[in-house]
Amino acid sequence: MSADTFAEVRELLEDLDFPADKDAIVRHATGHGAQEDSPAVRALRGMPLAAYRNMSEIRSSVDLRPEELPD
């Protein structure tokens, strides 16, 4: 995930209550204005299914740039 994409993810998820699973995280991001095909949402969709306790766990779960993720 690029630094710009992670900055967008942090902004979209700033009021997310943790722990949160992947689906809740994606729903939260799209509910706060992120487009389905945005790099941030694509990066979040690329995360493994899991419960995430904080932003650090989200950051470490996605190491591909969004343009490298499968469609």
Side-chain angles (χ1 to χ4, degrees):
M1 177 183 319
S2 72
D4 290 341
T5 301
F6 185 63
E8 182 182 356
V9 166
R10 287 185 68 101
E11 185 176 320
L12 290 167
L13 302 180
E14 70 183 353
D15 61 346
L16 176 67
D17 291 326
F18 289 99
D21 65 20
K22 174 186 169 177
D23 292 335
I25 292 167
V26 172
R27 276 193 312 272
H28 189 87
T30 57
H32 284 79
Q35 298 297 316
E36 288 288 333
D37 62 346
S38 73
V41 173
R42 290 182 71 201
L44 292 172
R45 288 193 186 286
M47 296 188 312
L49 290 175
Y52 295 88
R53 295 178 293 179
N54 54 46
M55 287 300 297
S56 180
E57 287 187 355
I58 291 173
R59 174 65 179 104
S60 65
S61 293
V62 179
D63 56 6
L64 294 174
R65 295 183 180 272
E67 63 270 17
E68 296 171 353
L69 294 173
D71 287 332

